[in-house]
Amino acid sequence: MSARFDCELDLSGLTDLLRERGLEPGGAVQVFVDSEIIRLADPYVPFRTGALKDSALTNTVIGQGEIVYATPYAKRMYYHPEYNFNGAPMRGAYWADRMWADHGEDIVRGAATLAGGQAE
């Protein structure tokens, strides 16, 4: 037998709390995370002319939570580790994944500190 009950949650202060901590969409924490991902991924991105690497700066709206590498060949470069990359093995395929493996914890710690919390 199931029971039914009604409950009310007062979340009126949540928006203000998120804003105070920089956690709202487009807030300081998201700006930090986006900027750090682009900055720290830079040495991992394949480089011939710099167009692919620079496309993240020109096509990403910092603070929206989406990093955009927009060149006609970005997807091909990302998913093909068998290609011969200038600056390999640092520069090459799966650059965001490899950067995150190396620096993800640092980004999380920085975001937590910025939000007034603790990262372990």
Side-chain angles (χ1 to χ4, degrees):
M1 177 175 203
S2 64
R4 179 176 176 194
F5 64 93
D6 293 319
C7 105
E8 274 185 44
L9 295 174
D10 179 9
L11 302 175
S12 59
L14 184 58
T15 302
D16 292 335
L17 177 62
L18 291 174
R19 189 174 298 114
E20 287 170 16
R21 300 258 179 152
L23 293 168
E24 76 279 12
V29 173
Q30 189 65 62
V31 168
F32 169 80
V33 170
D34 292 357
S35 298
E36 285 296 279
I37 288 172
I38 292 171
R39 182 180 73 80
L40 293 170
D42 187 89
Y44 293 80
V45 179
F47 186 93
R48 180 173 291 162
T49 66
L52 177 59
K53 154 181 114 50
D54 293 343
S55 75
L57 293 172
T58 56
N59 293 286
T60 298
V61 178
I62 302 292
Q64 296 301 304
E66 180 179 37
I67 309 303
V68 180
Y69 290 89
T71 65
Y73 49 87
K75 184 176 181 179
R76 189 168 16 112
M77 294 289 107
Y78 197 81
Y79 291 108
H80 289 278
E82 70 274 9
Y83 290 170
N84 211 0
F85 294 103
N86 292 335
M90 184 76 159
R91 293 189 182 277
Y94 304 109
W95 59 85
D97 296 315
R98 293 183 301 105
M99 177 284 299
W100 190 261
D102 292 345
H103 301 288
E105 290 180 14
D106 299 330
I107 294 171
V108 170
R109 265 195 297 279
T113 299
L114 190 59
Q118 297 176 357
E120 296 182 18

